[in-house]
Amino acid sequence: MKKILIILSAIFLISSFSLISTKKPEPLFISFYSWENSFDKKDINEKLYIKVLDIAYSTKLEIVTTNLKTTPKDFVPVIYITNETMKNVDYSLVSNAILKTLKNLNFNEVQIDCDWSDSSQSNYFKLLENLKTKLNKPLSATIRLHQIKYYVKTGIPPVDYGVLMYYNMSDITDINTKNSILDNDIAKKYHYNFDNYKLKLKLALPLYSQAIQFRENKALSIFEGVERSDFDSNFIEISPNLYKVLNSTYFKGRYIYKDDIFRFEDVKKEDLKIALDDFMNLTKNRFDEIIFYTLKYKNKFDLDNLIKGKI
């Protein structure tokens, strides 16, 4: 009888393990950021994270509110705050500006986007605590890769969850940077401490392209939405993704000079897939949601197939 029970138990364990190992992972959910200064889109089916407020500081607090002509039913208002603001302005003033903007909106949660530093951490974390208390709704914050690798020093923001911004990971002003939007080799240098990071994470990935203008090796400006085909006969490619201006001319509505250098930056679907796979392997403390930046480039790739690995 004992022998039969042992055999039955073994069969049960093997069957249970087989069920667990063949269990399909939850499908990934796609959502988008909207980062324009005006929003008037209708018939939106996607979940959106809409930037509703820019808060900056030069000699005083500078606030720019997004012109929301319409708002979808399912959206998360996002507030962008410069690190300079949190260095120089008391959190209570920033909180008041945010709450004033949010009072006329219908929402279920709020996201704060700020790349804080050592000198602004205390003020910024107080802002988050203040907002969480006064809003009494879920609050998230954007996280950069370096803030996970060095979390003991940078701290973990007091919010409900984080959104890992898996882009803008290199120095955009350095002419020798390969691709400041997404460079998986650079990203791998920050693949540390995910097991120790307490915040549950969502992942944000880029869809945009841009060109950085340099003059005498100094970065001058950014041209968003540039395509490789925009570099016409007025340019010559001097090395991969670096173009030299042959004749002074207008480019995307702005005047550029002979000998200026442009670095073209874009994302490939293969690189997005590597970034996604790396993130999925780095942490289990995550949501099954991928936020793409931004909505205006949603048709750049077949995103449904990309997240399923069918690229």
Side-chain angles (χ1 to χ4, degrees), residues 146-157:
H146 70 91
Q147 290 162 345
I148 295 180
K149 181 177 181 179
Y150 303 110
Y151 79 93
V152 174
K153 181 180 180 181
T154 64
I156 299 177

Side-chain angles (χ1 to χ4, degrees), residues 234-299:
N234 288 305
F235 296 85
I236 184 172
E237 188 171 14
I238 56 176
S239 64
N241 298 324
L242 277 183
Y243 294 84
K244 184 177 181 178
V245 180
L246 296 175
N247 304 291
S248 298
T249 185
Y250 281 94
F251 183 70
K252 296 291 184 179
R254 286 184 258 176
Y255 198 73
I256 60 175
Y257 288 88
K258 181 183 177 182
D259 295 331
D260 284 354
I261 303 295
F262 280 73
R263 182 177 68 233
F264 173 63
E265 300 184 338
D266 198 4
V267 290
K268 298 178 181 177
K269 56 186 177 181
E270 293 82 6
D271 290 329
L272 289 175
K273 188 62 175 64
I274 291 171
L276 173 59
D277 289 345
D278 284 350
F279 173 76
M280 300 296 276
N281 291 326
L282 279 169
T283 179
K284 301 299 180 186
N285 189 25
R286 53 174 164 73
F287 294 87
D288 294 312
E289 179 180 354
I290 311 299
I291 312 172
F292 285 98
Y293 184 96
T294 66
L295 180 66
K296 67 189 291 186
Y297 303 116
K298 63 175 281 191
N299 296 319

Side-chain angles (χ1 to χ4, degrees), residues 52-300:
V52 299
L53 197 62
D54 281 284
I55 302 179
Y57 177 87
S58 54
T59 57
K60 62 178 181 179
L61 198 61
E62 300 169 352
I63 298 171
V64 178
T65 305
T66 300
N67 181 14
L68 296 173
K69 296 179 181 179
T70 60
T71 53
K73 290 182 180 179
D74 186 13
F75 91 101
V76 176
V78 182
I79 291 88
Y80 172 73
I81 309 171
T82 65
N83 186 45
E84 202 65 25
T85 301
M86 298 315 303
K87 283 182 182 178
N88 292 281
V89 182
D90 187 80
Y91 76 90
S92 61
L93 297 176
V94 181
S95 177
N96 289 340
I98 293 171
L99 294 171
K100 183 179 179 181
T101 296
L102 294 177
K103 70 178 181 180
N104 296 320
L105 299 178
N106 184 25
F107 57 91
N108 294 317
E109 65 171 281
V110 175
Q111 186 175 117
I112 308 297
D113 178 18
C114 178
D115 188 5
W116 77 92
S117 61
D118 293 348
S119 58
S120 64
Q121 182 207 82
S122 176
N123 195 38
Y124 177 54
F125 284 13
K126 286 177 183 177
L127 168 68
L128 296 175
E129 290 169 348
N130 182 268
L131 289 173
K132 191 162 173 53
T133 298
K134 291 187 175 180
L135 289 169
N136 195 29
K137 292 184 178 182
L139 183 69
S140 62
T142 56
I143 311 294
R144 274 71 183 174
L145 279 166
H146 70 91
Q147 290 162 345
I148 295 180
K149 181 177 181 179
Y150 303 110
Y151 79 93
V152 174
K153 181 180 180 181
T154 64
I156 299 177
V159 291
D160 295 289
Y161 70 88
V163 178
L164 179 60
M165 315 300 278
Y166 211 91
Y167 51 94
N168 287 348
M169 55 187 65
S170 308
D171 185 357
I172 196 172
T173 65
D174 185 349
I175 196 169
N176 295 312
T177 292
K178 179 182 173 183
N179 186 340
S180 69
I181 298 176
L182 177 60
D183 186 332
N184 284 305
D185 291 332
I186 295 293
K188 283 179 171 59
K189 296 179 180 180
Y190 295 91
H191 288 180
Y192 295 89
N193 290 325
F194 278 80
D195 290 341
N196 301 318
Y197 202 70
K198 304 303 181 185
L199 272 187
K200 193 170 182 177
L201 297 171
K202 293 181 181 179
L203 175 67
L205 289 172
L207 292 177
Y208 64 98
S209 61
Q210 63 189 15
I212 317 303
Q213 179 188 13
F214 293 88
R215 187 172 297 153
E216 296 179 354
N217 288 340
K218 293 182 180 179
L220 295 182
S221 39
I222 302 172
F223 292 72
E224 186 191 339
V226 173
E227 301 294 336
R228 191 178 295 277
S229 58
D230 291 323
F231 296 102
D232 56 20
S233 59
N234 288 305
F235 296 85
I236 184 172
E237 188 171 14
I238 56 176
S239 64
N241 298 324
L242 277 183
Y243 294 84
K244 184 177 181 178
V245 180
L246 296 175
N247 304 291
S248 298
T249 185
Y250 281 94
F251 183 70
K252 296 291 184 179
R254 286 184 258 176
Y255 198 73
I256 60 175
Y257 288 88
K258 181 183 177 182
D259 295 331
D260 284 354
I261 303 295
F262 280 73
R263 182 177 68 233
F264 173 63
E265 300 184 338
D266 198 4
V267 290
K268 298 178 181 177
K269 56 186 177 181
E270 293 82 6
D271 290 329
L272 289 175
K273 188 62 175 64
I274 291 171
L276 173 59
D277 289 345
D278 284 350
F279 173 76
M280 300 296 276
N281 291 326
L282 279 169
T283 179
K284 301 299 180 186
N285 189 25
R286 53 174 164 73
F287 294 87
D288 294 312
E289 179 180 354
I290 311 299
I291 312 172
F292 285 98
Y293 184 96
T294 66
L295 180 66
K296 67 189 291 186
Y297 303 116
K298 63 175 281 191
N299 296 319
K300 182 169 185 170

